Amino acid sequence: MKSLYFKFAVTTIFIMLFSGLLAFIGANSYYQQKLKPENDEKNTRIAQDIANYASRHADMSMEDYFNHIAGIGYQIMLTDRSGREEYFGAEFRNKELPVDVKEKVLSGSIYHGMADFPKETFVTGFFANEVRNTIGVPLQHSGKEFAIFIRPDVKLLFSEMHVLLAWLMGLSILLSILFVLIGTKFLVQPITELTRATQKLAHGDFAVKLDIERSDEIGELAYSFTHMAEKLDQLDEMRKELISNISHDIQSPLSNIKGYVNLLENPDADTEERKQSLDIINREINRLSGLTKQLLMLASLDSSLNEVRLSQFDVSEQLKEVIKSYQWALQEKELMIGYSLPETKITGDTSLLYAVWDNLMSNAVKYNRPHGSIEITVSERQGEAEIVFQDTGIGISGSELKRIFDRFYRADASRTSSIEGSGLGLSISAAIVRLHNGTIKVESDKDKGTAFIVRIPQM
Ligand code: ADP
């Protein structure tokens, strides 16, 4: 597998080289189309000036004059009809000329060797040190006809620039490759770190610590990743806690059942003892069955697949049904019940909401004092139905209030006073209310009892 670093570095370097090539082709076509004719025109003017000056000064030594011109940066070839060739300035690398050219120039025409220099030679043609790459002009001196072929001595004029440019190009290529290699490392390194963290996470190690402080997309990814790891850690903790709670809650009724089954097996046990044992076994089985139902309900509420079957119904009517089903329990505990249940329509899932009222009612009964009372009221407020269960029970202390909606949480008072419960009812109720976009609040006073206030949007 090729690493991301390798791919990124190679792609960038390839892009650099490719764009360099494109730039070269662009510059070349600019040179061919525009600079080359301009250069030819400029040098033709210079050559003509040089020739004119020599023609006008018949008494001047041509040799001195051309040596002088060569000295300021030109390469010159001087020729006449006799075929004599004289060179001034730096030597031409190639002294060949197409046939007839000398003849034509001697006869008065101008040779545009620069403009006609072959196109395939790219921009480098500009530097070609050949007699073919010159401007040829006729020249008369002391009544004789000559032809001069002249070109600027690029080497002399540009030699420092040349070296400087070469250095500049070479250095910029080298430096960009170096920076691409370093920059890529900087870009890819956090991804390598993230990959390592993901592997750790996959092996169940949630304590991942990423040392990535950046304000770009990778920084955001690292932040979300750390956040996700924390959430997974919490979920893992919750899962472990849930399993230990469930195991404990299943284990205790099972050991009770086992104990009483052992008692039943005892041939000396009398009828009364047997009846008692069977009663307890029955109660524990009911407890286990209730717990499983609650767990199933929690699981279905947790899964987003849970379907809410909405319908419009009178919540007061439903509450009356709940009260009726508790008639016997109320009497047994000698509790007073008062209610104000005017017709109030709400939209919701009837069976889920029934479970909420049933749980609040059962708590109001379970955690009440003997001869206490329960008050249930329904009212409408700003498009919401408010349902209040107020009891005169044992109350919940301030520190415990925050936790009563947590799964398996049971306040100390209820645990120690051997009131049965799983600690799941309120967390289920809260989940159902949330599913209806409603709210559930609790107000409690150790002496006066507890009030649960549920608000459900009516539409
Ligand atoms: P359970 O009643 O099965 O223990 P719940 O989730 O219904 O579980 O309630 C969680 C805890 O909140 C209870 O154990 C109890 O300590 C406290 N609680 C709930 N309702 C009342 C109430 N009406 N009065 C006093 N304490 C309450």
Side-chain angles (χ1 to χ4, degrees):
M1 183 189 77
K2 294 220 164 45
S3 70
L4 185 63
Y5 174 72
F6 178 81
K7 281 187 194 162
F8 199 87
V10 168
T11 313
T12 317
I13 291 170
F14 174 76
I15 289 173
M16 276 164 52
L17 295 180
F18 184 67
S19 39
L21 185 74
L22 278 186
F24 178 73
I25 293 172
N28 185 59
S29 84
Y30 180 70
Y31 166 74
Q32 298 287 3
Q33 303 299 323
K34 191 149 165 69
L35 285 187
K36 204 156 107 167
E38 267 178 28
N39 192 35
D40 183 275
E41 205 181 297
K42 188 180 80 187
N43 281 295
T44 306
R45 238 181 298 117
I46 293 170
Q48 279 174 327
D49 280 351
I50 290 171
N52 286 345
Y53 189 85
S55 303
R56 268 186 274 118
H57 296 82
D59 50 339
M60 177 185 71
S61 151
M62 286 236 284
E63 196 153 328
D64 285 353
Y65 177 55
F66 287 130
N67 270 329
H68 173 69
I69 301 282
I72 29 178
Y74 285 93
Q75 289 168 276
I76 301 164
M77 180 186 94
L78 179 73
T79 184
D80 60 15
R81 284 195 194 281
S82 70
R84 186 171 64 105
E85 283 176 4
E86 230 178 302
Y87 293 92
F88 303 90
E91 198 172 343
F92 285 101
R93 194 175 51 80
N94 186 337
K95 292 176 181 160
E96 271 171 37
L97 261 182
V99 258
D100 291 352
V101 167
K102 282 188 206 163
E103 201 45 52
K104 276 185 189 153
V105 177
L106 281 167
S107 316
S109 47
I110 295 174
Y111 169 65
H112 290 283
M114 284 185 177
D116 300 335
F117 203 73
K119 287 221 186 324
E120 317 81 70
T121 49
F122 295 118
V123 73
T124 44
F126 178 72
F127 300 101
N129 180 17
E130 299 177 21
V131 180
R132 265 191 323 162
N133 192 19
T134 57
I135 298 292
V137 288
L139 155 70
Q140 265 121 35
H141 192 261
S142 319
K144 276 178 78 182
E145 281 171 342
F146 296 94
I148 56 162
F149 294 86
I150 183 166
R151 71 183 301 274
D153 185 351
V154 182
K155 225 166 158 189
L156 192 84
L157 291 177
F158 291 111
S159 64
E160 287 86 0
M161 279 302 270
H162 233 119
V163 177
L164 201 75
L165 275 174
W167 268 105
L168 202 80
M169 282 220 359
L171 257 177
S172 68
I173 290 174
L174 251 166
L175 282 177
S176 6
I177 290 178
L178 196 77
F179 285 139
V180 164
L181 293 179
I182 297 172
T184 311
K185 191 117 211 133
F186 175 73
L187 259 175
V188 171
Q189 194 254 335
I191 297 179
T192 319
E193 207 176 313
L194 266 166
T195 315
R196 229 175 287 133
T198 318
Q199 283 162 353
K200 266 177 85 180
L201 204 68
H203 286 107
D205 181 359
F206 298 102
V208 286
K209 189 103 192 76
L210 287 172
D211 191 20
I212 303 174
E213 289 280 335
R214 292 159 66 132
S215 52
D216 55 7
E217 286 85 346
I218 291 181
E220 223 167 276
L221 179 66
Y223 175 77
S224 310
F225 186 86
T226 320
H227 192 62
M228 182 187 77
E230 279 166 11
K231 278 266 164 236
L232 281 174
D233 197 13
Q234 276 174 16
L235 275 176
D236 194 51
E237 275 304 311
M238 273 170 70
R239 186 181 58 88
K240 285 182 191 149
E241 208 180 293
L242 195 75
I243 291 175
S244 100
N245 280 325
I246 294 172
S247 319
H248 174 263
D249 278 32
I250 290 175
Q251 194 52 46
S252 62
L254 280 180
S255 43
N256 263 350
I257 291 172
K258 195 170 183 319
Y260 285 100
V261 167
N262 285 346
L263 258 176
L264 281 177
E265 277 171 352
N266 181 0
D268 300 337
D270 62 26
T271 328
E272 185 56 26
E273 272 174 340
R274 281 171 191 274
K275 193 184 165 309
Q276 254 180 15
S277 300
L278 279 173
D279 275 353
I280 293 172
I281 291 173
N282 214 0
R283 206 183 63 211
E284 293 296 355
I285 289 174
N286 282 341
R287 213 169 114 191
L288 274 175
S289 149
L291 179 71
T292 353
K293 273 188 203 142
Q294 278 185 316
L295 284 171
L296 279 173
M297 173 83 108
L298 256 188
S300 92
L301 286 171
D302 274 349
S303 79
S304 46
L305 297 171
N306 183 64
E307 226 180 87
V308 187
R309 268 176 288 248
L310 292 179
S311 64
Q312 212 193 31
F313 64 97
D314 179 5
V315 66
S316 291
E317 205 50 50
Q318 194 176 43
L319 286 162
K320 282 177 200 159
E321 271 176 54
V322 176
I323 295 168
K324 221 186 268 172
S325 72
Y326 275 85
Q327 221 50 269
W328 185 81
L330 290 166
Q331 268 173 27
E332 194 189 43
K333 244 188 153 179
E334 296 179 8
L335 297 174
M336 292 266 290
I337 178 111
Y339 45 82
S340 155
L341 301 171
E343 185 183 333
T344 309
K345 293 260 187 257
I346 60 167
T347 308
D349 186 310
T350 46
S351 65
L352 287 180
L353 286 173
Y354 190 97
V356 175
W357 318 137
D358 185 68
N359 171 243
L360 294 180
M361 185 67 183
S362 99
N363 283 349
V365 174
K366 273 198 298 188
Y367 304 112
N368 223 317
R369 299 176 205 274
H371 309 291
S373 67
I374 300 170
E375 176 108 9
I376 302 173
T377 55
V378 171
S379 56
E380 286 181 38
R381 274 160 213 258
Q382 296 145 358
E384 288 183 322
E386 186 180 86
I387 301 101
V388 181
F389 280 73
Q390 168 82 58
D391 64 50
T392 52
I394 57 173
I396 305 162
S397 76
S399 59
E400 291 172 324
L401 270 181
K402 281 185 237 110
R403 301 201 53 198
I404 56 161
F405 294 104
D406 290 352
R407 288 173 188 186
F408 289 104
Y409 183 76
R410 307 200 70 209
D412 275 342
S414 36
R415 237 179 299 137
T416 47
S417 59
S418 73
I419 302 172
E420 266 185 27
S422 62
L424 285 174
L426 282 179
S427 66
I428 292 175
S429 298
I432 295 174
V433 172
R434 261 199 311 275
L435 215 59
H436 284 80
N437 299 318
T439 55
I440 181 163
K441 273 197 323 187
V442 58
E443 283 168 10
S444 187
D445 197 313
K446 271 271 176 220
D447 306 315
K448 292 193 200 118
T450 307
F452 282 94
I453 304 130
V454 178
R455 287 190 179 180
I456 306 277
Q458 289 187 284
M459 286 303 289

